[in-house]
Amino acid sequence: MDEISTIGFQIISLAKDKPEGINNDDLAESLQAVPPEKRVQALNKLLLDGVLEILKKGNTLIYRMKDPGKKSSAPKDIDNEERVIYNIVEEGGNKGIWIRDIRVKSNLVMTQLNKVLKQLENKKLIKAVKSVNASKKKVYMLYNLEPDRSITGGAWYQDQDFEAEFVDVLNQQCLRFLRMKRDSARASGEGPLAVQKLSECSVADVHRFISDLGISKISLDEDDLETILKTVVYDGKAERIAQINGGYLYRAIETPIAAPGLVQMPCGICPVIKNCADCGEITPKLCTYISEWLD
């Protein structure tokens, strides 16, 4: 066994005795006979081999035994500060981590942290992603990860902008499919209960229909389509029927007759109707509510 490996075993023994981690002062005190450069070589080898992990507490570097079940994908050719930041970002997974949280965990000053983040971005090890929840803030995650829907907004967002038109088109097409099912059921000549049953369709049925139409440039899954079906239900144009297995079926329903025009007039709910007259400050001719209703 070479000298560096022997020193490495001594460091491992010290780290096992102190699960919370050891710092350079602990190593210098316990390995007084070992030259500093040899100690550094042994430490670097243990870090590269994934035996130890490096953390920062205040301004002090802490070396700790790594959990065998927790494997870091950090490359071997990055320095210690980059490794600390990489490991913190890796913990954030595909939901990412705010720069403020990285600063708290790493205890690096902002200028140094920005420098390390930029270095890791240039090496294509991490990336910054804008969140739909806070467009001016960015979260960091590993470069090869696909951001979680809670960050990108899923299929309904493009460059942090809500695609209202796209959602409306899907809403109309989902409703069209439900009504087609209902009309087909009515044409079957079956009894009322059978017609009701034949009118019901699953999310998978709707997903197949939308996929066959080819109206979406992006891939939509069943969860996406269920979100749209819920909007059809909220519009009062369909109902959602719970199943024993925990799933749901959807069925088009008759839309109530629209209220006559006179009922929709704002006068019925006007807060100043008692003061309204043919002349004065409040009159039908000057009323902004009536003007908007007529438009």
Side-chain angles (χ1 to χ4, degrees), residues 138-159:
K138 295 183 292 187
V139 295
Y140 288 88
M141 65 184 66
L142 296 189
Y143 188 80
N144 61 341
L145 291 181
E146 189 68 30
D148 186 82
R149 284 176 178 235
S150 61
I151 301 299
T152 63
W156 320 130
Y157 283 80
Q158 179 71 31
D159 299 326

Side-chain angles (χ1 to χ4, degrees), residues 31 33 41-42 60 77 83 108 113 117 121-122 135 143 155-156 158 164 190 200 222-223 227 233-234 246 252-253:
L31 305 174
Q41 286 179 39
T60 306
D77 59 346
R83 190 176 299 278
L108 287 175
L113 175 57
L117 287 170
E121 282 187 87
N122 290 338
S135 58
Y143 188 80
W156 320 130
Q158 179 71 31
E190 299 287 343
E200 297 169 357
E222 290 187 10
D223 287 341
T227 300
V233 173
Y234 299 149
I253 58 175

Side-chain angles (χ1 to χ4, degrees), residues 210-233:
I210 297 296
S211 297
D212 291 343
L213 283 180
I215 58 176
S216 175
K217 294 179 181 177
I218 59 173
S219 177
L220 299 173
D221 59 26
E222 290 187 10
D223 287 341
D224 293 326
L225 268 302
E226 183 146 35
T227 300
I228 297 297
L229 284 167
K230 286 177 182 176
T231 67
V232 180
V233 173

Side-chain angles (χ1 to χ4, degrees), residues 120-277:
L120 291 171
E121 282 187 87
N122 290 338
K123 291 177 180 178
K124 296 193 182 303
L125 295 175
I126 66 170
K127 62 184 174 183
V129 179
K130 285 184 179 179
S131 170
V132 294
N133 298 319
S135 58
K136 293 183 180 179
K137 291 183 179 179
K138 295 183 292 187
V139 295
Y140 288 88
M141 65 184 66
L142 296 189
Y143 188 80
N144 61 341
L145 291 181
E146 189 68 30
D148 186 82
R149 284 176 178 235
S150 61
I151 301 299
T152 63
W156 320 130
Y157 283 80
Q158 179 71 31
D159 299 326
Q160 282 70 53
D161 293 325
F162 181 64
E163 295 283 339
E165 202 172 307
F166 178 47
V167 170
D168 285 342
V169 169
L170 287 173
N171 177 289
Q172 291 164 18
Q173 292 303 322
C174 287
L175 178 59
R176 182 165 79 93
F177 178 71
L178 295 180
R179 285 175 173 170
M180 284 166 55
K181 284 282 287 185
R182 181 193 62 193
D183 294 343
S184 174
R186 286 176 176 175
S188 68
E190 299 287 343
L193 289 177
V195 167
Q196 182 174 326
K197 199 70 180 171
L198 289 170
S199 299
E200 297 169 357
C201 57
S202 67
V203 179
D205 296 331
V206 178
H207 181 259
R208 250 189 320 273
F209 173 73
I210 297 296
S211 297
D212 291 343
L213 283 180
I215 58 176
S216 175
K217 294 179 181 177
I218 59 173
S219 177
L220 299 173
D221 59 26
E222 290 187 10
D223 287 341
D224 293 326
L225 268 302
E226 183 146 35
T227 300
I228 297 297
L229 284 167
K230 286 177 182 176
T231 67
V232 180
V233 173
Y234 299 149
D235 289 341
K237 296 173 182 177
E239 65 177 343
R240 192 171 186 234
I241 306 153
Q243 301 299 293
I244 297 174
N245 62 5
Y248 292 90
L249 294 177
Y250 293 83
R251 184 170 68 88
I253 58 175
E254 298 293 347
T255 307
I257 298 171
L262 287 174
V263 176
Q264 294 178 8
M265 282 186 68
C267 303
I269 55 170
C270 180
V272 290
I273 186 70
K274 292 180 179 178
N275 303 325
C276 189

Side-chain angles (χ1 to χ4, degrees), residues 11-175:
I11 293 173
I12 290 171
S13 179
L14 289 171
K16 284 181 177 178
D17 289 340
K18 294 184 72 175
E20 70 278 8
I22 53 177
N23 57 34
N24 285 316
D25 290 340
D26 296 327
L27 291 169
E29 185 180 339
S30 301
L31 305 174
Q32 294 180 10
V34 177
E37 63 274 13
K38 297 284 187 184
R39 190 171 69 239
V40 170
Q41 286 179 39
L43 268 174
N44 286 337
K45 187 174 187 308
L46 292 172
L47 289 168
L48 290 173
D49 291 343
V51 178
L52 295 181
E53 62 181 350
I54 186 170
L55 309 167
K56 198 161 187 185
K57 190 174 182 181
N59 293 320
T60 306
L61 289 175
I62 302 293
Y63 306 97
R64 189 172 66 186
M65 291 297 295
K66 193 166 187 180
D67 183 350
K70 180 184 167 187
K71 293 184 178 180
S72 173
S73 58
K76 295 184 177 181
D77 59 346
I78 58 176
D79 63 35
N80 285 340
E81 278 190 344
E82 289 176 339
R83 190 176 299 278
V84 168
I85 301 303
Y86 183 96
N87 289 337
I88 292 171
V89 171
E90 186 176 29
E91 288 174 5
N94 66 345
K95 291 189 176 180
I97 183 168
W98 300 110
I99 191 169
R100 181 187 61 189
D101 296 329
I102 298 174
R103 184 170 60 81
V104 169
K105 288 188 175 185
S106 66
N107 208 45
L108 287 175
V109 294
M110 208 61 200
T111 50
Q112 183 62 17
L113 175 57
N114 282 326
K115 180 182 173 184
V116 175
L117 287 170
K118 183 58 70 177
Q119 288 169 349
L120 291 171
E121 282 187 87
N122 290 338
K123 291 177 180 178
K124 296 193 182 303
L125 295 175
I126 66 170
K127 62 184 174 183
V129 179
K130 285 184 179 179
S131 170
V132 294
N133 298 319
S135 58
K136 293 183 180 179
K137 291 183 179 179
K138 295 183 292 187
V139 295
Y140 288 88
M141 65 184 66
L142 296 189
Y143 188 80
N144 61 341
L145 291 181
E146 189 68 30
D148 186 82
R149 284 176 178 235
S150 61
I151 301 299
T152 63
W156 320 130
Y157 283 80
Q158 179 71 31
D159 299 326
Q160 282 70 53
D161 293 325
F162 181 64
E163 295 283 339
E165 202 172 307
F166 178 47
V167 170
D168 285 342
V169 169
L170 287 173
N171 177 289
Q172 291 164 18
Q173 292 303 322
C174 287
L175 178 59

Side-chain angles (χ1 to χ4, degrees), residues 261-262 264-267 283-295:
L262 287 174
Q264 294 178 8
M265 282 186 68
C267 303
T283 68
K285 191 177 287 187
L286 299 174
C287 180
T288 56
Y289 300 123
I290 287 183
S291 296
E292 288 175 4
W293 175 64
L294 290 173
D295 290 341

